[in-house]
mmCIF file of all heavy atoms in Angstrom:
data_model
loop_
_atom_site.group_PDB
_atom_site.id
_atom_site.type_symbol
_atom_site.label_atom_id
_atom_site.label_comp_id
_atom_site.label_asym_id
_atom_site.label_seq_id
_atom_site.Cartn_x
_atom_site.Cartn_y
_atom_site.Cartn_z
ATOM 1 N N ASP A 137 -2.168 -3.865 15.667
ATOM 2 C CA ASP A 137 -2.352 -3.941 17.126
ATOM 3 C C ASP A 137 -2.411 -5.392 17.590
ATOM 4 O O ASP A 137 -1.841 -5.744 18.624
ATOM 5 C CB ASP A 137 -3.625 -3.214 17.549
ATOM 6 C CG ASP A 137 -3.528 -1.713 17.399
ATOM 7 O OD1 ASP A 137 -2.405 -1.206 17.215
ATOM 8 O OD2 ASP A 137 -4.590 -1.044 17.475
ATOM 9 N N LEU A 138 -3.105 -6.226 16.836
ATOM 10 C CA LEU A 138 -3.238 -7.629 17.201
ATOM 11 C C LEU A 138 -1.883 -8.318 17.256
ATOM 12 O O LEU A 138 -1.571 -9.010 18.231
ATOM 13 C CB LEU A 138 -4.146 -8.355 16.202
ATOM 14 C CG LEU A 138 -4.251 -9.874 16.370
ATOM 15 C CD1 LEU A 138 -5.035 -10.199 17.639
ATOM 16 C CD2 LEU A 138 -4.902 -10.485 15.153
ATOM 17 N N TYR A 139 -1.060 -8.126 16.240
ATOM 18 C CA TYR A 139 0.241 -8.792 16.210
ATOM 19 C C TYR A 139 1.179 -8.266 17.292
ATOM 20 O O TYR A 139 1.972 -9.029 17.848
ATOM 21 C CB TYR A 139 0.880 -8.678 14.828
ATOM 22 C CG TYR A 139 0.279 -9.628 13.825
ATOM 23 C CD1 TYR A 139 -0.289 -9.159 12.651
ATOM 24 C CD2 TYR A 139 0.255 -10.996 14.058
ATOM 25 C CE1 TYR A 139 -0.852 -10.028 11.733
ATOM 26 C CE2 TYR A 139 -0.301 -11.871 13.143
ATOM 27 C CZ TYR A 139 -0.847 -11.384 11.987
ATOM 28 O OH TYR A 139 -1.405 -12.245 11.081
ATOM 29 N N LEU A 140 1.100 -6.982 17.593
ATOM 30 C CA LEU A 140 1.924 -6.452 18.694
ATOM 31 C C LEU A 140 1.497 -7.051 20.031
ATOM 32 O O LEU A 140 2.336 -7.437 20.853
ATOM 33 C CB LEU A 140 1.839 -4.930 18.740
ATOM 34 C CG LEU A 140 2.589 -4.187 17.645
ATOM 35 C CD1 LEU A 140 2.351 -2.683 17.783
ATOM 36 C CD2 LEU A 140 4.060 -4.486 17.690
ATOM 37 N N LYS A 141 0.198 -7.143 20.227
ATOM 38 C CA LYS A 141 -0.299 -7.729 21.477
ATOM 39 C C LYS A 141 0.032 -9.213 21.568
ATOM 40 O O LYS A 141 0.383 -9.710 22.643
ATOM 41 C CB LYS A 141 -1.799 -7.495 21.606
ATOM 42 C CG LYS A 141 -2.141 -6.040 21.857
ATOM 43 C CD LYS A 141 -3.628 -5.796 21.815
ATOM 44 C CE LYS A 141 -3.922 -4.310 21.967
ATOM 45 N NZ LYS A 141 -5.344 -4.008 21.787
ATOM 46 N N LEU A 142 -0.080 -9.922 20.450
ATOM 47 C CA LEU A 142 0.284 -11.332 20.452
ATOM 48 C C LEU A 142 1.776 -11.517 20.730
ATOM 49 O O LEU A 142 2.178 -12.456 21.421
ATOM 50 C CB LEU A 142 -0.084 -11.987 19.119
ATOM 51 C CG LEU A 142 -1.553 -12.283 18.903
ATOM 52 C CD1 LEU A 142 -1.789 -12.820 17.493
ATOM 53 C CD2 LEU A 142 -2.060 -13.272 19.923
ATOM 54 N N GLY A 143 2.589 -10.621 20.191
ATOM 55 C CA GLY A 143 4.026 -10.668 20.480
ATOM 56 C C GLY A 143 4.307 -10.445 21.950
ATOM 57 O O GLY A 143 5.141 -11.135 22.555
ATOM 58 N N LEU A 144 3.613 -9.480 22.538
ATOM 59 C CA LEU A 144 3.771 -9.223 23.967
ATOM 60 C C LEU A 144 3.351 -10.433 24.785
ATOM 61 O O LEU A 144 4.064 -10.856 25.711
ATOM 62 C CB LEU A 144 2.957 -7.992 24.376
ATOM 63 C CG LEU A 144 2.929 -7.667 25.869
ATOM 64 C CD1 LEU A 144 4.319 -7.280 26.343
ATOM 65 C CD2 LEU A 144 1.924 -6.582 26.155
ATOM 66 N N LEU A 145 2.210 -11.016 24.447
ATOM 67 C CA LEU A 145 1.733 -12.187 25.184
ATOM 68 C C LEU A 145 2.665 -13.383 25.015
ATOM 69 O O LEU A 145 2.909 -14.131 25.972
ATOM 70 C CB LEU A 145 0.309 -12.545 24.753
ATOM 71 C CG LEU A 145 -0.771 -11.549 25.177
ATOM 72 C CD1 LEU A 145 -2.109 -11.936 24.577
ATOM 73 C CD2 LEU A 145 -0.855 -11.467 26.672
ATOM 74 N N ALA A 146 3.179 -13.575 23.798
ATOM 75 C CA ALA A 146 4.127 -14.669 23.583
ATOM 76 C C ALA A 146 5.403 -14.440 24.390
ATOM 77 O O ALA A 146 5.961 -15.379 24.969
ATOM 78 C CB ALA A 146 4.447 -14.798 22.097
ATOM 79 N N GLY A 147 5.859 -13.192 24.431
ATOM 80 C CA GLY A 147 7.038 -12.867 25.231
ATOM 81 C C GLY A 147 6.803 -13.123 26.703
ATOM 82 O O GLY A 147 7.666 -13.686 27.399
ATOM 83 N N LEU A 148 5.646 -12.728 27.197
ATOM 84 C CA LEU A 148 5.335 -12.975 28.607
ATOM 85 C C LEU A 148 5.231 -14.468 28.902
ATOM 86 O O LEU A 148 5.676 -14.930 29.961
ATOM 87 C CB LEU A 148 4.035 -12.257 28.991
ATOM 88 C CG LEU A 148 4.111 -10.729 29.047
ATOM 89 C CD1 LEU A 148 2.720 -10.154 29.270
ATOM 90 C CD2 LEU A 148 5.078 -10.267 30.110
ATOM 91 N N ALA A 149 4.657 -15.225 27.967
ATOM 92 C CA ALA A 149 4.569 -16.670 28.157
ATOM 93 C C ALA A 149 5.953 -17.297 28.202
ATOM 94 O O ALA A 149 6.229 -18.175 29.029
ATOM 95 C CB ALA A 149 3.726 -17.297 27.044
ATOM 96 N N LEU A 150 6.845 -16.847 27.337
ATOM 97 C CA LEU A 150 8.214 -17.361 27.353
ATOM 98 C C LEU A 150 8.935 -16.989 28.640
ATOM 99 O O LEU A 150 9.698 -17.780 29.185
ATOM 100 C CB LEU A 150 8.992 -16.853 26.132
ATOM 101 C CG LEU A 150 8.678 -17.527 24.808
ATOM 102 C CD1 LEU A 150 9.392 -16.819 23.670
ATOM 103 C CD2 LEU A 150 9.064 -18.989 24.849
ATOM 104 N N VAL A 151 8.685 -15.785 29.134
ATOM 105 C CA VAL A 151 9.306 -15.368 30.382
ATOM 106 C C VAL A 151 8.824 -16.245 31.533
ATOM 107 O O VAL A 151 9.608 -16.653 32.393
ATOM 108 C CB VAL A 151 9.014 -13.855 30.656
ATOM 109 C CG1 VAL A 151 9.328 -13.478 32.089
ATOM 110 C CG2 VAL A 151 9.801 -13.008 29.690
ATOM 111 N N ILE A 152 7.550 -16.558 31.546
ATOM 112 C CA ILE A 152 7.018 -17.426 32.588
ATOM 113 C C ILE A 152 7.669 -18.804 32.507
ATOM 114 O O ILE A 152 8.016 -19.400 33.533
ATOM 115 C CB ILE A 152 5.477 -17.511 32.492
ATOM 116 C CG1 ILE A 152 4.869 -16.169 32.894
ATOM 117 C CG2 ILE A 152 4.933 -18.647 33.347
ATOM 118 C CD1 ILE A 152 3.389 -16.074 32.648
#
Side-chain angles (χ1 to χ4, degrees):
D137 290 346
L138 173 70
Y139 283 122
L140 287 177
K141 290 173 184 174
L142 284 175
L144 175 65
L145 291 174
L148 290 173
L150 284 173
V151 165
I152 290 172

